[in-house]
Amino acid sequence: MTTSASVPTGSTAAIAGGTVTDRLVEANERYADAFTDPGMDARPVLRVAVVACMDARLDLHAALGLELGDCHTIRNAGGVVTDDVIRSLTISQRKLGTRSIVLIHHTGCGLEAITEDFRTELEMEVGQRPAWAVEAFRDVDQDVRQSMQRVRTSPFLVHTDDVRGFVFDVKTGLLREVDPA
């Protein structure tokens, strides 16, 4: 399958005489030429925030039938609910009106293949231990449950009655809901 992100083998940073960032800036110039202000504000129309993994295989808008302006999207490695995710969700709810939270992890996640020892490896390499946890996991369903629990018990979030967690299958494109119990 060819995608706009396809890069010829052997090319890491250079594409057609420029860098990947150059390519992105050029694409933005073409986008801006046809851009018209949609007249939206920052409040998502569907009043939902989606927390998902940053994995490039997840096209959240397409997978969930979302349009521009429908939701807030928060992505990180693993789709894990960290303190920074709670920060973003708190702002999303308290200042921008969201009421529902959808958590999406996926099959074949890279966080299943590493351990917290990654922090030690970084410390050995750069001489400083990261303050953040890797949040590696072995059981994707259990990690979704943990993320749901972190959301539901946060004192900063006021809307925790509609929090649902899913695993996205990267081979089929289907979501499978995870029972919070």
Side-chain angles (χ1 to χ4, degrees):
M1 168 166 65
T2 302
T3 67
S4 62
S6 295
V7 178
T9 305
S11 281
T12 50
I15 295 180
T19 66
V20 171
T21 304
D22 291 335
R23 181 176 143 209
L24 298 176
V25 170
E26 289 169 12
N28 174 256
E29 289 169 359
R30 290 187 301 276
Y31 172 80
D33 285 342
F35 183 79
T36 56
D37 181 358
M40 300 174 179
D41 73 15
R43 295 175 184 274
V45 172
L46 298 179
R47 296 169 51 143
V48 63
V50 177
V51 178
C53 185
M54 66 187 191
D55 192 296
R57 296 172 290 181
L58 277 66
D59 183 348
L60 291 175
H61 277 74
L64 301 175
L66 296 168
E67 299 293 330
L68 180 67
D70 282 348
C71 72
H72 284 159
T73 306
I74 304 160
R75 296 182 79 158
N76 67 18
V80 177
V81 175
T82 61
D83 286 345
D84 194 59
V85 169
I86 294 292
R87 177 187 71 87
S88 293
L89 289 172
T90 300
I91 293 166
S92 178
Q93 284 190 352
R94 291 180 176 262
K95 297 298 181 184
L96 298 166
T98 59
R99 298 292 179 263
S100 300
I101 298 172
V102 174
L103 306 172
I104 301 177
H105 287 37
H106 65 92
T107 58
C109 184
L111 285 186
E112 293 175 288
I114 64 174
T115 68
E116 292 297 322
D117 290 339
F118 180 63
R119 294 173 69 216
T120 303
E121 294 166 14
L122 286 172
E123 182 179 19
M124 298 299 291
E125 180 182 330
V126 303
Q128 182 177 339
R129 188 171 186 82
W132 39 263
V134 175
E135 299 276 357
F137 56 87
R138 295 284 174 255
D139 181 335
V140 68
D141 286 37
Q142 184 55 36
D143 202 61
V144 171
R145 284 186 200 94
Q146 177 177 296
S147 289
M148 285 190 281
Q149 185 65 17
R150 286 178 177 173
V151 168
R152 288 189 174 123
T153 60
S154 172
F156 306 110
L157 299 173
V158 293
H159 302 286
T160 58
D161 55 322
D162 188 12
V163 177
R164 294 171 64 185
F166 300 86
V167 175
F168 177 87
D169 187 314
V170 298
K171 301 284 188 206
T172 67
L174 290 172
L175 289 176
R176 177 178 50 78
E177 189 158 9
V178 175
D179 184 353

